[in-house]
Amino acid sequence: MADTAEKDAPRKEGVALATIGAFNGTEVTEPIDVHFNPVSLQLSINNQLKKNAKGIQYIGTTTMKLTMDLIFDSTDTGQDVTDNTRRIQALLGPEKPPGEKATNGPPPPKVQFEWGTIKFQGIIEGYKETIDFFSIDGVPLRSSVNLT
């Protein structure tokens, strides 16, 4: 995990808010502020091992995964909360014209999650969204997004 140039995390009433966005190698372009900071972050680190006649051998690959739940809530404005969550969905892969099938094209963009002193860079592997509150007119107002 590489650190980037120092930058202040966004603040809301004295609290550092987490952000996520595409990382171009030097900075995050168009960072997305989370509405509520995660309750916890789960970090897993795994080595790829192989059994052979001499025992267990390290193959040379170590992976790190960060998993979190992000809460978005637009109850106070009445705005469709998916306007925010679609921006995160867009980070899962390169944009393709409608109707075009996925190919072995470019990889998904590298992203950076930043919250206070924590900076984690990688590719979004999994996205799961739960919309659990709607306006009387059926507009989605609250959503939790699970990211890996």
Side-chain angles (χ1 to χ4, degrees):
M1 187 162 82
D3 272 337
T4 60
E6 288 297 318
K7 119 181 168 163
D8 290 334
R11 299 214 174 257
K12 183 176 183 180
E13 299 175 22
V15 175
L17 291 178
T19 62
I20 189 168
F23 183 71
N24 67 13
T26 57
E27 65 181 358
V28 174
T29 57
E30 299 181 34
I32 302 162
D33 292 342
V34 303
H35 292 174
F36 294 91
N37 286 329
V39 173
S40 63
L41 302 173
Q42 300 85 42
L43 179 67
S44 64
I45 303 172
N46 296 297
N47 287 324
Q48 186 176 4
L49 306 172
K50 178 181 176 183
K51 269 189 173 180
N52 61 23
K54 296 180 182 180
I56 296 177
Q57 178 183 6
Y58 173 64
I59 302 298
T61 303
T62 300
T63 58
M64 285 198 312
K65 290 186 183 184
L66 181 67
T67 302
M68 71 194 87
D69 291 314
L70 304 176
I71 306 295
F72 294 88
D73 190 313
S74 59
T75 305
D76 58 340
T77 65
Q79 178 184 358
D80 186 336
V81 75
T82 62
D83 290 346
N84 290 302
T85 59
R86 271 189 239 126
R87 292 180 63 203
I88 296 176
Q89 291 172 21
L91 298 173
L92 270 80
E95 195 169 318
K96 296 175 186 60
E100 186 177 311
K101 292 183 179 180
T103 62
N104 289 337
K110 190 172 189 178
V111 299
Q112 178 173 288
F113 171 79
E114 182 175 356
W115 183 20
T117 60
I118 296 172
K119 292 181 184 178
F120 192 89
Q121 297 166 0
I123 294 173
I124 297 176
E125 180 179 290
Y127 175 101
K128 181 180 177 184
E129 181 173 7
T130 303
I131 300 171
D132 60 6
F133 187 69
F134 297 83
S135 73
I136 195 166
D137 299 323
V139 176
L141 298 176
R142 186 180 316 126
S143 177
S144 60
V145 174
N146 177 272
L147 286 179
T148 300

